[in-house]
Amino acid sequence: MSDSQAQFIEVDALRVGMYIYLDLGWIGHPFALNNFKIISASQIDTIRGLGLQRLRWSPERSDLEVPPPPPVAEVDAENAALAEHRQCLLEQRAQLARCEREFSSATQTFRHLLKQIPQHPEVARELAEEMVTGLVGNLFEQGESFIRLLSEKAGEHASLHTINVTVIALLLGKRLGLDATVLKPLGLGALLHDIGKTALPERLRWRTEGLSPAERRLFQQHTVYGAEMATRMGVDDAVCAIIAHHHEYLDGSGFPEQLTGEALSPASRILSLVNHYDNLCNPANPVAAITPHKALALMFAHNKHKFDSHYLGIFIRMMGVYPPGSLVLLTDNRYALVVSVNSVRPLKPRILIHDPQLPSEEALIVDLEKEPTLGIRLSLKPVQLPRAVFDYLSPGQRLCYFFERARDLVDAQEAR
C-alpha cells in the first residue's frame, strides 16, 4: 500500500504497533519523522495532544496482532457464563437484602420497645415476646441456619449489639439441641439483657474504659437495674435471672455477685459466653475491637475457665475457625472477607474475594468447600489491608449478624 492509499483512523483508536503518518509541518510535532511506527503509549498521548481528530495509517506496515473472531461455540459459552454470573449475583443480592430487611426490622422494633418500658412496661414485654417468638419460629422453619455477616448500616447503631447477641444466642441454643420452649426465654433474656443501661447516666452507658472505681461499680449495677425493669414489665423470674447474670462467669470472676458453677443456669451460661464474644468484637470504643478470629482464640486459650467448656466448644465450631467478619489472606495470596461459615467444614467458609477485575458490587461470594485447591493462609486486621483492598471489601467498624437460610445457600450453589 502506498502512502497515498493509507487509511484514516480516529486518534482515540490509536494503538502501539500502528504505522502512522502525521500530515503536519516539521515544527508542528516533536517527532523526528512525519511517518513512523508507534512503539509506546506515551507516543500516543503526545499525538493526541496535537489537536488532530484523525490521521492516516498503514495496516500493512503495522505490527498489530488482531485476534480472529472467536468461534460461535466460545461466544455461546461466554454468554452462558455471563448469564450464570448475573443469576448468581441476583440470588446473592436477594438473600442479603432479606437478611438486612429482617435485621433492620428487628433493630427498629427493639428501639420502639425501649421507649415503651418507662410508661408502658407491659406493652414493652408484649413487643419483646412477639419479637422473640418470631425469631425462634423463623429459626425452626428454615431448617439449618448459618450466621450471615451484614453491613453495619443494616440497622440502628445502638441496637446492633443487642440483636447480635440475641441472634447468636438463639443459634447456639439450637445447636445445643434446645427446643423452642427453652429457646424463647433464652431469646427474651438476650433481647433484654442490656435494658438496665438506660437507667445509667449517659456517660456510662457505652463506656467500659477509664472509669473510676465508683463509676465501675455503678456501671456493673446495670445488670441489677435490668432485672428490676424486667420484673416491672411482668417478665418471668427465670428470664429476669438470665438478665441479672449475663456478666457472671463460671469461675466467679464476673459481676455483680461473682456467682460460680451451678449457680448459673444453662441459659445464663449461653448468654454470658455470647455477650463476652460480641463485646470483644464490638466494644464501646471501636478502636479497641479485635478480629473475630482473635476473639475466639483469646476465649479458648486464655478465658476458657470462664465458660462452660461444652458450650464453648460448640460455639467455636458454630462460628468457625474464621468467623463471619474475618479478613483473611488466601493461599493464592488474594484477600477476602468471610461472610458466613460452614460448621461442618470450619476451615472452608463462604468468602467475598477481592478481585480488581470486577466491581465490588458484582463480586460473587465463593464457597471454599467447592474450591478444593483454595484455602485460608491467615487472619488479618483491617489495618493490614492495602487501601484499595480495604475500600473494596469495606469491612465495617462493627459487625452485624443475622440468620442465613441453609436451603437458600444450597439452591444458589446448585444454580451455579
Side-chain angles (χ1 to χ4, degrees):
M1 177 183 291
S2 67
D3 288 357
S4 62
Q5 294 174 317
Q7 300 178 17
F8 284 90
I9 187 170
E10 300 293 326
V11 172
D12 288 340
L14 290 176
R15 288 185 289 163
V16 173
M18 285 182 169
Y19 193 95
I20 57 98
Y21 301 85
L22 295 175
D23 295 321
L24 298 170
W26 66 273
I27 62 172
H29 63 80
F31 301 104
L33 299 172
N34 277 17
N35 50 293
F36 57 91
K37 188 182 297 179
I38 298 174
I39 62 172
S40 69
S42 62
Q43 286 183 331
I44 295 176
D45 291 337
T46 301
I47 294 169
R48 289 173 177 167
L50 298 177
L52 299 173
Q53 297 298 315
R54 64 176 188 162
L55 47 78
R56 291 184 299 134
W57 75 294
S58 173
E60 289 184 352
R61 303 181 68 178
S62 300
D63 292 328
L64 292 176
E65 295 183 2
V66 180
V72 174
E74 291 185 14
V75 173
D76 290 344
E78 283 187 14
N79 290 338
L82 182 59
E84 184 179 16
H85 178 91
R86 288 175 176 169
Q87 181 61 31
C88 289
L89 196 60
L90 288 173
E91 292 171 353
Q92 177 178 301
R93 288 176 176 171
Q95 172 68 1
L96 178 59
R98 182 195 67 79
C99 289
E100 290 192 340
R101 282 196 305 271
E102 294 187 19
F103 186 93
S104 178
S105 175
T107 60
Q108 291 174 18
T109 301
F110 182 70
R111 287 178 63 195
H112 180 59
L113 180 161
L114 285 180
K115 292 178 181 178
Q116 300 302 314
I117 292 177
Q119 300 298 325
H120 307 285
E122 293 185 356
V123 172
R125 187 200 73 241
E126 292 172 359
L127 285 172
E129 290 174 342
E130 181 180 348
M131 185 174 170
V132 170
T133 298
L135 290 173
V136 172
N138 287 340
L139 195 56
F140 279 92
E141 286 174 8
Q142 62 194 34
E144 184 66 16
S145 301
F146 297 141
I147 296 175
R148 178 62 156 91
L149 177 72
L150 306 180
S151 163
E152 62 186 312
K153 298 177 182 178
E156 196 273 327
H157 174 75
S159 306
L160 300 187
H161 169 71
T162 294
I163 304 305
N164 279 351
V165 169
T166 303
V167 165
I168 299 175
L170 287 175
L171 277 170
L172 178 56
K174 186 183 178 188
R175 195 63 59 89
L176 288 166
L178 305 183
D179 61 23
T181 59
V182 180
L183 284 179
K184 287 180 181 179
L186 168 62
L188 191 58
L191 185 67
L192 301 177
H193 79 277
D194 266 347
I195 60 173
K197 287 185 176 180
T198 61
L200 297 177
E202 183 70 33
R203 71 181 188 281
L204 297 182
R205 291 181 187 178
W206 313 113
R207 283 182 58 200
T208 56
E209 299 176 350
L211 301 180
S212 69
E215 288 175 327
R216 183 166 297 280
R217 286 193 296 271
L218 180 56
F219 173 80
Q220 292 178 352
Q221 287 299 302
H222 79 267
T223 59
V224 177
Y225 298 155
E228 292 173 349
M229 293 167 70
T231 298
R232 290 196 295 273
M233 292 166 62
V235 172
D236 185 80
D237 288 346
V239 175
C240 293
I242 296 172
I243 297 170
H245 299 159
H246 74 271
H247 276 290
E248 301 283 3
Y249 300 120
L250 286 184
D251 64 352
S253 63
F255 64 79
E257 299 180 71
Q258 292 81 49
L259 299 178
T260 61
E262 296 303 318
L264 296 174
S265 69
S268 296
R269 299 181 191 194
I270 292 173
L271 181 55
S272 172
L273 188 161
V274 173
N275 183 61
H276 185 92
Y277 169 79
D278 197 64
N279 281 332
L280 290 175
C281 297
N282 291 315
N285 179 6
V287 176
I290 62 177
T291 66
H293 176 72
K294 185 175 180 180
L296 287 185
L298 183 65
M299 291 172 67
F300 182 77
H302 300 289
N303 295 324
K304 58 183 175 183
H305 51 281
K306 295 177 179 288
F307 311 109
D308 184 295
S309 59
H310 177 60
Y311 293 0
L312 180 59
I314 297 296
F315 178 68
I316 290 174
R317 286 196 290 276
M318 182 184 81
M319 297 301 292
V321 177
Y322 303 98
S326 298
L327 295 163
V328 296
L329 181 67
L330 303 177
T331 50
D332 63 2
N333 290 321
R334 288 185 293 173
Y335 297 95
L337 176 70
V338 176
V339 295
S340 70
V341 295
N342 181 342
S343 58
V344 178
R345 300 288 301 280
L347 293 174
K348 294 288 187 177
R350 297 172 73 238
I351 58 175
L352 180 71
I353 300 178
H354 170 248
D355 184 351
Q357 303 302 316
L358 287 174
S360 59
E361 63 273 11
E362 293 184 11
L364 280 176
I365 292 172
V366 176
D367 188 345
L368 285 181
E369 188 175 9
K370 307 296 183 181
E371 305 289 337
T373 63
L374 187 61
I376 294 175
R377 178 170 294 168
L378 53 89
S379 178
L380 301 171
K381 297 178 181 178
V383 295
Q384 293 176 285
L385 298 180
R387 183 68 200 187
V389 178
F390 181 92
D391 292 340
Y392 188 99
L393 297 177
S394 299
Q397 282 191 316
R398 298 187 181 277
L399 305 176
C400 307
Y401 300 123
F402 208 72
F403 309 127
E404 183 168 35
R405 293 173 180 161
R407 64 168 177 262
D408 290 343
L409 301 184
V410 172
D411 291 343
Q413 289 164 0
E414 290 178 348
R416 292 174 65 181

